[in-house]
Amino acid sequence: MKRLILACLASAVLAGDALAVEIMHWERRPLAIPLPVDEERIVTLDRNVRVGLPPALANPEVLRVQSAGGVLYLKAFEAFETQRVRVQDVESGDVLLLDLSAREGASSEEILVVDSREASPARASASRASTGASSGSRGEQASEASRPAAQASGGEAQQATATPVPVRLTRHAAQSLYAPQRTIEPLRGVSRVPMRLPESLSTLLPSLPVTATPLGAWRLDGWTVTAVKLENNDRRRAFELDPRWLQGEFYSATFMHPYLAPRGSVEDTTTVFLVTRRGGLDRALIPLEETDKAEEGTS
């Protein structure tokens, strides 16, 4: 996927259509990322991560951090000096360090972070192919030059296929809702579908004082992801979000934030992406009657 993004960027530049994307290489050294004040900056990591903020940035009135589908959405509300932020890959446990700062007039260009460990083999392979091509005739050079491109295309297709559909679908839904249109990665075969849901889903999180509002649904290869907005109705309490509290038959659930702050604060709202198989969310939710019976049985 990283090679595919880089190839697309290179093609766009050669065609004269310059994209405002800054590429940073992670080489086990902290990446310095300045943020503009009162303007969002997007950092694409292409992996699901959890973010650890230092105390100086833990205040939502200073910095807002949203993570969805391998993309960080960072917005500073005031200027601050360099602070180190710890970003951890949820699946592998790898840690990436960001040195964030905020100032007036800083760039708002999107950032693409490329892991040098994964990029190096691709560069070496391209170098070997180029060396082999230069030793033959012009016809052989053309043949050899076309071969790495075909191999790269096949490798990208295999890598995209290796990523589970629910992961790709959740990433696409998150980008469709919250990312600028130009940054949305194309996903072949995906389609937006009707939800057939009420305006409020009272049975989704019956144990918490939240309002659950469906936002949109997308389908690919028999899988459906539905985005649901969650709003805290309690002005005094904050709640950590645990997928085990969700009521229904879901393949996976991904929260944009790990908690809901008290109502009226900046972080009193988040989004959960619910993936279902062979049907939409309307079939996965527990009917209100069954929820009432379960509550009566425990009382």
Side-chain angles (χ1 to χ4, degrees), residues 243-273:
R244 293 172 295 182
W245 294 347
L246 296 167
Q247 300 297 308
E249 297 294 332
F250 315 116
Y251 176 81
S252 67
T254 304
F255 293 99
M256 283 193 67
H257 304 90
Y259 69 95
L260 283 177
R263 183 177 180 180
S265 62
V266 177
E267 297 182 332
D268 66 354
T269 302
T270 190
T271 303
V272 60
F273 298 90

Side-chain angles (χ1 to χ4, degrees), residues 101-228:
S101 61
R103 66 176 186 269
E104 297 285 350
S107 173
S108 61
E109 287 184 348
E110 179 186 350
I111 295 174
L112 173 64
V113 177
V114 178
D115 193 328
S116 295
R117 293 180 305 174
E118 300 179 10
S120 297
R123 291 197 297 265
S125 177
S127 176
R128 287 194 301 269
S130 176
T131 303
S134 62
S135 62
S137 65
R138 291 184 179 180
E140 291 172 344
Q141 290 176 7
S143 175
E144 291 292 334
S146 64
R147 202 171 297 165
Q151 292 174 350
S153 176
E156 291 156 5
Q158 290 178 357
Q159 189 170 3
T161 304
T163 304
V165 172
V167 175
R168 288 185 285 152
L169 197 54
T170 299
R171 180 183 304 162
H172 179 81
Q175 292 179 346
S176 297
L177 288 176
Y178 301 109
Q181 186 68 30
R182 63 180 176 81
T183 66
I184 299 177
E185 299 178 22
L187 183 58
R188 182 177 299 178
V190 69
S191 60
R192 190 154 183 169
V193 294
M195 295 183 289
R196 301 184 179 88
L197 294 167
E199 294 184 0
S200 180
L201 308 178
S202 59
T203 64
L204 181 62
L205 271 170
S207 60
L208 295 181
V210 301
T211 299
T213 306
L215 300 176
W218 294 260
R219 184 169 297 160
L220 175 66
D221 295 342
W223 298 91
T224 302
V225 62
T226 304
V228 179

Side-chain angles (χ1 to χ4, degrees), residues 42-61:
I42 296 174
V43 179
T44 300
L45 302 170
D46 200 30
R47 61 186 68 189
N48 291 321
V49 297
R50 60 171 63 94
V51 181
L53 296 176
L57 298 183
N59 185 350
E61 296 182 358

